[in-house]
Amino acid sequence: EPNQGILDHERKRKLEVKCMELAEQLEDQGYSEDVIQEKVAAYRSQLLGKEMSKKAFTDVDEFGRPIIKETHQIAEAQKEKNSRLKEAFGISDKFVEGSSFDRRALEQANNEASKKYALIGS
């Protein structure tokens, strides 16, 4: 399971790095401290607006796929991939892995299904 706290911290860190880069750039251009603070605050709020997608700061390769480096990012991507696959194959959220091999559960499901059809036939 991905640790959401670690993923959120990484996103916030990337946001602050971008803000610091802007502040340094403005400082090199000779802006006053007050103007720098205003522009950085506006930039931060703009980035926070973009960050709602939670994918705003992920690095992407030339094909637009996210570049994943950390274990929690990998776990989050795997979880998303598995949920898309379950949806594509029509697997219920209530499905328990390995239940297809449980004889008692299969017999019980067959009995319940036959009861439904028995009621319809009468």
Side-chain angles (χ1 to χ4, degrees), residues 55-68:
K55 303 287 184 200
F57 302 120
T58 54
D59 298 326
V60 293
D61 63 6
E62 64 270 11
F63 301 110
R65 296 177 298 208
I67 299 172
I68 299 173

Side-chain angles (χ1 to χ4, degrees), residues 43-106:
Y43 185 61
R44 183 177 288 117
S45 63
Q46 177 188 359
L47 288 176
L48 283 172
K50 281 186 192 176
E51 208 261 342
M52 290 301 168
S53 70
K54 293 190 177 184
K55 303 287 184 200
F57 302 120
T58 54
D59 298 326
V60 293
D61 63 6
E62 64 270 11
F63 301 110
R65 296 177 298 208
I67 299 172
I68 299 173
K69 299 176 185 172
E70 296 188 20
T71 57
H72 295 282
Q73 291 174 330
I74 293 169
E76 183 180 43
Q78 186 65 37
K79 188 176 178 181
E80 289 176 12
K81 178 181 167 186
N82 288 343
S83 68
R84 286 194 309 268
L85 281 172
K86 284 176 93 172
E87 186 178 322
F89 289 124
I91 299 172
S92 171
D93 290 335
K94 296 177 184 176
F95 178 76
V96 178
E97 290 184 31
S99 63
S100 301
F101 300 108
D102 186 7
R103 294 282 181 205
R104 283 189 225 148
L106 288 173

